[in-house]
Amino acid sequence: MTSQTLFSEPVQLRVSRPATSDLTRRFFFLVDAIARDHEPTATQLDRLASSYESTAQFLANRDEFEGLLLKIHPHGSRQLGTMVRPSRSTHDGFDVDLIALLSADARRRYMSSSGPALLLNDFYRALKDYADSHSLSIRRWERCVTLGYTDGMCADITPVIDDPLLSAPYGQTHALIPDRELMRYDSTNPLGYAKHFNQAAAIPPAFRGQLVMAKAMDSAERAEVVPLAEADEVFSRLLCRFVQLLKLHRNSRFSASEDLKGLAPTSVFVTTLAAMAYTQLAPLEHDSPLDLLLHMVKTMPGLFPRTRLTNGAEEWNLPNPSAPKENLASSMNRTGRHEAFDGWITVLTKDLEKLLKAVEQNLGNDVLVSIIDTAFGTRSANALQAALSKVRDSNRSAGRVSIVTAAASSRILPARAHSFYGD
């Protein structure tokens, strides 16, 4: 492929900085090409939904949980819409986090000093019978049990006990989760966290010239426009796409060895910081989504306190917005993780600056693909290359020129419904 770009006019025709609408349109094509390749398909998610509904029914019929199991629901990236394919090479499926929510009545059985261990033992024993009857693999962890399906998808199912805390934000869905030593219970609130994230994601971003673009597009003379997600749909998911890009860059950066993987910042830490930064910065005008993302990344390291201890080390604290007693940075307070996070932010900033320059200056598809390969991994680069080739081939077969001029704009359409972003 030549270095001619599908995003705008050739470099020699560019006489000024591209309009906000053009930069936004290019970003949407870029991020959709990458992110969609790392998401589970609707078929995979439908199959998983059927599986965990079956699991819920099985558990509800067990004597251990008779009258106690309220529901099984997704949480984490499945609930938020920020899921990406895991970086591990052991399987090519997706990891989905599920919560088995027990009623407050379960506290009578599981609140003794040995209660957390008893809860996980009962839970594992029941799921072992389910796994054996459905030919699934099963593994017990500190807080959850993992079921492995034949297509490579894994479901991490965590038991929690309903424990409303009405004095706290989102407290009506507060719950208790066994701590990692199974000696007590910790505070948790997956449904409340999802509500907090969704409130952040609902903030409309402000981009320069956005209203002008909407008013002018019907009268604009268009060249062939590359396929895009509908604008309203993409805007409503912008924070989700940002988090996906951050996680993909993290996975690429820390995938070289098992030691490096152990230093990678946790998904909940990255996701929470991204939501905080987006909440602050989205209302401010930016030139494009990529410009906003770069600003967010530069802001994220300053959004939580770093306390200097007497031994010279730092302790980080990031309260869970839906369960304030939980420190989402606790797992970051391990040897080497502070330096790894700060180093990752530095590299990520440089990569996004290169990407922003390439998009703004129309440096060509080859340059874009090369930057994506370095920053987000070969799979992401291949996904972008395939998307670009598809547009090029489609335009060739129709006898069209494979460019999109700055005059072309995206049409504002009603958002399509999603079936895979949780409750």
Side-chain angles (χ1 to χ4, degrees):
M1 177 179 287
T2 67
S3 61
Q4 182 187 23
T5 179
L6 292 176
F7 294 121
S8 186
E9 68 274 11
V11 174
Q12 62 268 25
L13 298 181
R14 179 176 179 268
V15 294
S16 62
R17 197 173 190 276
T20 293
S21 60
D22 204 37
L23 292 173
T24 299
R25 179 170 44 78
R26 296 178 208 174
F27 174 84
F28 287 161
F29 178 85
L30 183 76
V31 71
D32 269 7
I34 296 172
R36 289 187 186 279
D37 186 66
H38 289 82
E39 293 175 336
T41 65
T43 299
Q44 286 176 310
L45 287 167
D46 286 344
R47 186 163 58 247
L48 181 68
S50 175
S51 297
Y52 72 70
E53 287 169 5
S54 171
T55 306
Q57 187 61 50
F58 177 87
L59 290 173
N61 291 331
R62 294 281 295 202
D63 291 340
E64 304 97 308
F65 307 117
E66 183 179 1
L68 297 181
L69 186 67
L70 296 178
K71 63 178 176 179
I72 290 183
H73 66 81
H75 79 108
S77 59
R78 164 65 176 83
Q79 180 79 346
L80 304 180
T82 59
M83 184 183 293
V84 296
R85 192 180 301 274
S87 60
R88 299 194 304 273
S89 59
T90 54
H91 68 279
D92 196 43
F94 291 86
D95 293 337
V96 180
D97 298 319
L98 304 173
I99 291 291
L101 178 63
L102 304 178
S103 71
D105 291 338
R107 284 182 287 186
R108 290 198 297 268
R109 181 182 301 176
Y110 295 114
M111 288 304 291
S112 66
S113 59
S114 59
L118 177 62
L119 172 59
L120 199 60
N121 286 341
D122 285 351
F123 193 69
Y124 174 79
R125 188 182 306 110
L127 285 175
K128 179 68 165 59
D129 290 345
Y130 180 83
D132 290 345
S133 64
H134 290 80
S135 301
L136 307 178
S137 65
I138 186 170
R139 185 168 181 178
R140 173 178 167 167
W141 301 93
E142 296 167 317
R143 285 186 166 184
C144 69
V145 175
T146 297
L147 294 178
Y149 298 86
T150 55
D151 60 358
M153 187 173 284
C154 292
D156 296 334
I157 310 176
T158 304
V160 305
I161 299 175
D162 191 35
D163 182 47
L165 192 62
L166 299 183
S167 61
Y170 316 99
Q172 65 273 19
T173 54
H174 181 267
L176 300 174
I177 183 173
D179 81 330
R180 298 190 183 281
E181 286 74 36
L182 297 179
M183 300 296 294
R184 58 186 177 86
Y185 287 95
D186 288 334
S187 175
T188 191
N189 194 347
L191 290 176
Y193 185 92
K195 290 179 181 178
H196 174 268
F197 182 89
N198 290 338
Q199 288 176 352
I203 298 172
F207 298 123
R208 296 181 181 91
Q210 190 169 317
L211 293 178
V212 174
M213 177 190 74
K215 292 177 180 178
M217 64 186 164
D218 285 335
S219 60
E221 182 179 353
R222 297 177 179 83
E224 178 64 13
V225 180
V226 295
L228 298 172
E230 294 168 358
D232 284 356
E233 175 184 348
V234 176
F235 273 114
S236 69
R237 298 172 57 199
L238 187 57
L239 176 57
C240 301
R241 285 297 194 226
F242 283 162
V243 173
Q244 286 176 309
L245 287 181
L246 296 178
K247 289 163 68 173
L248 288 173
H249 190 281
R250 174 205 60 184
N251 291 351
S252 177
R253 175 70 176 170
F254 290 93
S255 64
S257 68
E258 290 301 320
D259 289 341
L260 271 179
K261 288 179 183 178
L263 296 176
T266 62
S267 291
V268 69
F269 184 70
V270 172
T271 301
T272 304
L273 291 178
M276 293 170 65
Y278 183 85
T279 299
Q280 289 186 15
L281 301 176
L284 307 180
E285 281 196 344
H286 289 81
D287 290 324
S288 70
L290 192 51
D291 185 37
L292 170 57
L293 177 58
L294 180 58
H295 194 180
M296 287 170 54
V297 168
K298 291 179 178 179
T299 302
M300 284 165 55
L303 294 178
F304 58 93
R306 306 179 180 211
T307 303
R308 181 70 65 179
L309 303 178
T310 55
N311 61 3
E314 286 186 347
E315 182 175 84
W316 293 2
N317 184 53
L318 181 64
N320 184 332
S322 62
K325 292 182 179 180
E326 181 183 12
N327 178 17
L328 298 180
S330 60
S331 61
M332 297 296 295
N333 292 319
R334 299 176 184 172
T335 304
R337 274 197 162 180
H338 292 174
E339 295 80 5
F341 175 78
D342 289 335
W344 173 60
I345 290 293
T346 298
V347 173
L348 175 58
T349 299
K350 291 179 179 178
D351 286 341
L352 290 177
E353 287 173 341
K354 292 177 184 177
L355 186 59
L356 182 61
K357 179 181 177 181
V359 171
E360 286 187 349
Q361 298 185 8
N362 302 321
L363 298 184
N365 295 334
D366 291 347
V367 174
L368 280 171
V369 171
S370 177
I371 293 173
I372 294 301
D373 193 349
T374 300
F376 300 100
T378 300
R379 183 175 187 124
S380 297
N382 290 341
L384 176 59
Q385 184 75 70
L388 292 169
S389 298
K390 183 177 180 180
V391 174
R392 178 197 60 195
D393 294 343
S394 176
N395 287 335
R396 280 180 177 175
S397 65
R400 292 188 290 260
V401 179
S402 298
I403 63 171
V404 177
T405 69
S409 302
S410 302
R411 181 180 297 274
I412 305 297
L413 297 173
R416 292 193 300 266
H418 286 286
S419 61
F420 54 92
Y421 284 127
D423 299 332

